[in-house]
């Protein structure tokens, strides 16, 4: 199975179970050996909770529409809204909640280990 297939399957499974849709815009080899860069358009449905998960590399995201509650292991919840961004380091367990009545849209940039799924479900850290 190719890395792209694993990436798409992982994204689809996470989307089906949580109200999150990740659409891969592009991906390419990174200048960092063993890594690849992925840009995704992400939408979190109104009222959805993104399950706790990790990424095999850094996530750098920019919120273009809506607002959410970002939950990061061992940190207080943080409200994020359109025009803001956040960074989640590799392997850090995190989640998000859309308490609103409209979808949240964001652009996610991931610098991840090659041949690993984009996201992996994780147990709640609390």
């Amino acid at each position: 199975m190719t890395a792209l297939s694993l990436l798409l399957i992982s994204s689809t499974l996470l989307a089906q179970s949580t109200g999150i849709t990740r659409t891969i815009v592009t991906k390419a080899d990174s200048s960092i050996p063993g890594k690849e860069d992925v840009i995704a358009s992400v939408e979190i449905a109104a009222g959805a909770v993104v399950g706790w998960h990790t990424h095999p590399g850094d996530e750098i995201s920019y919120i273009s529409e809506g607002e959410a509650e970002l939950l990061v292991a061992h940190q207080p919840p943080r409200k994020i809204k359109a025009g803001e961004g956040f960074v989640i380091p590799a392997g850090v367990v995190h989640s998000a909640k859309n308490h609103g009545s409209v979808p949240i849209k964001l652009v996610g940039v991931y610098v991840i280990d090659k041949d690993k799924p984009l996201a992996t479900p994780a147990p709640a850290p609390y």
Side-chain angles (χ1 to χ4, degrees):
M1 191 174 280
T2 68
L4 180 57
S5 297
L6 288 172
L7 184 69
L8 293 174
I9 289 168
S10 171
S11 295
T12 300
L13 290 174
L14 193 57
Q16 289 174 346
S17 65
T18 63
I20 181 173
T21 303
R22 279 192 191 94
T23 303
I24 304 302
V25 175
T26 193
K27 67 181 225 166
D29 287 339
S30 177
S31 62
I32 303 167
K35 301 278 187 180
E36 64 185 350
D37 302 329
V38 178
I39 300 173
S41 172
V42 182
E43 186 169 311
I44 303 169
V49 176
V50 177
W52 290 99
H53 65 284
T54 62
H55 301 287
D58 294 341
E59 173 184 358
I60 303 106
S61 290
Y62 172 79
I63 310 297
S64 59
E65 294 180 35
E67 87 180 24
E69 178 181 34
L70 179 64
L71 306 167
V72 178
H74 313 296
Q75 295 181 17
R78 183 175 133 204
K79 187 183 228 181
I80 52 173
K81 61 183 189 245
E84 297 178 343
F86 61 91
V87 175
I88 306 292
V92 172
V93 178
H94 61 288
S95 177
K97 296 179 182 179
N98 180 350
H99 296 293
S101 59
V102 297
I104 297 162
K105 295 182 182 181
L106 61 100
V107 175
V109 176
Y110 307 86
V111 181
I112 61 173
D113 294 337
K114 277 189 165 191
D115 300 323
K116 293 209 176 161
L118 180 60
T120 302
Y126 306 104

